[in-house]
């Protein structure tokens, strides 16, 4: 299936609904995007500011109240799971469902009820997504979409958007068991076409930053390696997160007044820690170095974005990638193969691993007129280097889009 636009997606959802006995006629479509982080990757759980955009790989969800207290859902991506059906309040215990996408709707029911939301209106729902796994935030897009849709059919308005972010993270942290931060949810929920979203965790503020005038026409490219990244709970991500927390505790026990690695911002403190722990905790000092330098680059990147200097944004993206590979050590061999292939293509401004790490997708910022060259380079070199994934990799050329859209009249 190669669904790329709203009307094809809606036609597919109608067909899937009919085939599976679900009634969505006259219902609502909610489309949630993927996201692309421009900084600081792996900064969210380390307390840094964040910047990113929504990208046009989506999950489309069609739904309508069904007059019962049951939720019935069918995913076109997991047809073998059939129609998932449950009554509000009756879902398996957290972290007991491992092998079905149904853990997401179960988790949404579990978390919404835990947080005191009264759910009684069930729905029929059909969904389909074209977001590649590992790096572009498929799970956050799904969690957000389900939360907003279930709240909608239950007539619950939620003005506090950050509360939605917290709920979606709780679905993953507490029900699914994935130790994700909030980067993905923030970058999807707030994303606006043509804008970057800047999040400051100090006051939880969101600022939209337009790309400066005169910027070179560029595309955001997702380079799906074709590998499957297991849940974050099973990946290096969980280890890195715990290591960072432990290192912060060690520093606190040694008199440093910090709550996260992001708070090591001045050169004197940074150097002092390196002198004190550089030998005993060499790996952690390197990880701290990534966060320290990536934060400095972050502000340069933001200035470059504002100035429309996309070449500089790309340069910093590339440096972040080298830091993630060599200092933070969260990349993976196939991700680096993709990066190595595109790095030397004329017109590629920067490239690096994306998201959680180990497997999944890398990404690149590419001049619009160099897209064909990137595709050709990947088609030639990737299958040669990574033969096991020769028929699984993909190049996704993306635009910057709204994170959430609701269409009320496409199912009439
Ligand atoms: C995953 C997590 C996010 C974030 C990124 C890395 O996508 O879900 O919270 O930590 O990795 O930046």
């Amino acid at each position: 299936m190669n669904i790329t636009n709203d009307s094809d997606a809606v036609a597919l959802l109608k067909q899937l609904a009919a085939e599976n006995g679900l009634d969505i006629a006259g219902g609502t479509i909610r489309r949630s995007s993927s996201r692309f982080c421009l900084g600081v990757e792996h900064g969210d759980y380390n307390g840094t500011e964040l910047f990113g955009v929504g990208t046009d790989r989506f999950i489309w969800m069609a739904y309508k109240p069904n007059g019962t207290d049951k939720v019935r859902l069918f995913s076109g991506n997991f047809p073998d799971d059939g129609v998932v059906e449950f009554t509000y309040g009756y879902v398996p215990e957290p972290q007991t469902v491992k092998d079905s996408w149904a853990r997401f709707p179960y988790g949404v029911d579990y978390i919404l009820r835990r947080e005191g939301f009264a759910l009684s209106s069930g729905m029929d729902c059909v969904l389909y997504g074209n977001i590649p796994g590992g790096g572009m935030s498929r799970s956050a897009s799904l969690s957000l979409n389900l939360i907003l849709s279930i709240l909608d059919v239950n007539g619950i308005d939620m003005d506090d958007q950050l509360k939605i972010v917290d709920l979606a993270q709780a679905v993953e942290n507490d029900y699914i068991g994935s130790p994700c931060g909030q980067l993905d949810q923030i970058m999807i929920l707030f994303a606006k076409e043509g804008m970057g979203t800047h999040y400051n965790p100090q006051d939880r503020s969101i600022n939209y930053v337009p790309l400066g005038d005169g910027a070179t026409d560029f595309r955001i490219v997702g380079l799906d390696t074709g590998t499957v990244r297991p849940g974050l709970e099973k990946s290096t991500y969980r280890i890195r997160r715990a290591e960072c927390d432990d290192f912060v505790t060690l520093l606190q026990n040694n008199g440093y007044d910090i709550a996260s690695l992001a708070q090591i911002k001045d050169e004197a403190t940074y150097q002092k820690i390196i002198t004190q722990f550089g030998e005993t905790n060499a790996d952690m000092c390197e990880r701290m170095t990534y966060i320290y330098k990536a934060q400095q680059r972050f502000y340069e990147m933001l200035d470059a974005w504002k100035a429309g200097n996309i070449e500089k944004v790309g340069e910093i993206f590339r440096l972040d990638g080298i830091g993630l590979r060599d200092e933070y050590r969260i990349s993976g061999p196939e991700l680096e193969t993709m990066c190595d292939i595109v790095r030397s293509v004329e017109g590629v401004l920067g490239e690096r691993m994306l998201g959680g790490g180990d497997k999944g997708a890398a990404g690149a910022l590419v001049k619009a007129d160099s897209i064909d060259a990137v595709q050709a380079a990947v088609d030639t070199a990737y299958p040669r280097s990574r033969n096991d994934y020769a028929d699984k990799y993909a190049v996704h050329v993306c635009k910057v889009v709204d994170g959430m859209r609701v269409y009320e009249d496409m199912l009439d």
Side-chain angles (χ1 to χ4, degrees):
M1 241 177 308
N2 186 21
I3 303 285
T4 55
N5 59 52
D6 290 342
S7 51
D8 288 353
V10 172
L12 174 68
L13 294 180
K14 283 181 175 169
Q15 182 198 326
L16 293 174
E19 286 168 5
N20 291 282
L22 298 170
D23 179 12
I24 53 163
T28 304
I29 302 259
R30 173 170 279 101
R31 189 191 80 179
S32 49
S33 75
S34 46
R35 69 98 183 86
F36 197 86
C37 167
L38 289 164
V40 170
E41 197 80 278
H42 291 268
D44 56 351
Y45 58 87
N46 281 305
T48 72
E49 292 172 47
L50 305 170
F51 189 74
V53 296
T55 39
D56 62 343
R57 293 298 181 276
F58 300 111
I59 292 173
W60 290 269
M61 181 128 65
Y63 62 93
K64 192 172 82 164
N66 60 15
T68 74
D69 58 356
K70 286 189 171 44
V71 177
R72 309 195 307 150
L73 317 101
F74 183 84
S75 166
N77 298 91
F78 301 99
D80 294 346
D81 287 351
V83 174
V84 170
E85 181 169 334
F86 66 92
T87 303
Y88 289 126
Y90 295 89
V91 294
E93 286 302 302
Q95 294 173 45
T96 54
V97 181
K98 300 282 182 205
D99 54 359
S100 166
W101 80 277
R103 63 195 191 282
F104 286 90
Y106 293 161
V108 169
D109 173 57
Y110 181 88
I111 294 297
L112 289 179
R113 281 184 305 105
R114 188 188 76 182
E115 299 304 310
F117 293 94
L119 306 178
S120 56
S121 172
M123 63 177 185
D124 279 12
C125 170
V126 183
L127 59 149
Y128 177 76
N130 65 359
I131 306 176
M136 293 183 77
S137 299
R138 190 169 60 176
S139 61
S141 187
L142 177 59
S143 303
L144 288 167
N145 202 327
L146 284 162
I147 289 172
L148 292 169
S149 302
I150 289 186
L151 290 177
D152 180 32
V153 290
N154 282 278
I156 301 168
D157 280 336
M158 184 100 92
D159 292 336
D160 183 359
Q161 296 285 292
L162 287 166
K163 176 77 182 163
I164 306 271
V165 168
D166 296 341
L167 291 168
Q169 184 194 27
V171 169
E172 295 205 56
N173 286 176
D174 301 347
Y175 191 85
I176 309 271
S178 156
C180 67
Q182 297 201 329
L183 168 77
D184 308 342
Q185 299 81 354
I186 290 169
M187 291 305 153
I188 292 172
L189 188 60
F190 293 98
K192 270 198 188 159
E193 190 173 315
M195 296 277 189
T197 307
H198 177 197
Y199 174 73
N200 188 336
Q202 298 289 323
D203 55 359
R204 301 199 83 190
S205 60
I206 299 285
N207 282 298
Y208 289 109
V209 189
L211 176 66
D213 286 343
T216 304
D217 193 14
F218 76 104
R219 297 287 180 273
I220 285 173
V221 179
L223 300 162
D224 183 354
T225 60
T227 56
V228 175
R229 201 210 63 211
L232 295 178
E233 66 282 10
K234 297 185 213 100
S235 68
T236 312
Y237 186 95
R238 185 182 58 80
I239 299 167
R240 289 288 172 277
R241 244 200 113 139
E243 287 171 343
C244 289
D245 290 348
D246 290 350
F247 194 51
V248 168
T249 307
L250 177 71
L251 294 175
Q252 287 167 340
N253 292 341
N254 281 272
Y256 290 89
D257 183 19
I258 54 160
S260 67
L261 291 184
Q263 287 176 3
I264 302 160
K265 273 189 140 174
D266 67 286
E267 184 69 19
T269 310
Y270 168 72
Q271 289 300 348
K272 191 170 161 214
I273 295 171
I274 295 284
T275 309
Q276 211 175 339
F277 297 98
E279 278 185 22
T280 49
N281 299 73
D283 285 352
M284 282 320 300
C285 282
E286 288 198 42
R287 276 161 209 150
M288 173 187 74
T289 296
Y290 163 71
I291 296 291
Y292 179 73
K293 291 188 185 160
Q295 283 201 98
Q296 293 179 336
R297 289 191 291 262
F298 181 88
Y299 300 107
E300 278 179 61
M301 180 275 298
L302 214 50
D303 287 344
W305 177 272
K306 287 179 191 156
N309 185 353
I310 201 70
E311 286 77 5
K312 181 81 187 172
V313 173
E315 221 173 272
I316 292 170
F317 192 74
R318 176 170 290 160
L319 290 174
D320 283 350
I322 292 167
L324 286 156
R325 184 190 69 191
D326 298 343
E327 292 164 347
Y328 207 75
R329 289 198 288 271
I330 193 79
S331 192
E334 296 87 1
L335 297 169
E336 290 307 319
T337 299
M338 278 294 189
C339 292
D340 290 344
I341 292 169
V342 303
R343 186 173 296 120
S344 56
V345 176
E346 178 83 39
V348 172
L349 304 172
E351 66 295 305
R352 65 162 167 77
M353 57 75 69
L354 299 179
D358 295 344
K359 305 271 176 204
L365 299 180
V366 180
K367 284 187 183 172
D369 54 15
S370 300
I371 289 296
D372 291 348
V374 166
Q375 180 80 57
V378 172
D379 287 344
T380 308
Y382 189 75
R384 202 183 281 161
S385 303
R386 299 285 170 193
N387 196 254
D388 288 352
Y389 305 103
D391 54 357
K392 298 196 179 82
Y393 75 94
V395 174
H396 295 270
V397 180
C398 299
K399 290 196 302 261
V400 175
V401 292
D402 288 341
M404 288 289 164
R405 280 224 183 149
V406 174
Y407 303 107
E408 295 290 1
D409 52 5
M410 288 186 86
L411 293 169
D412 295 345

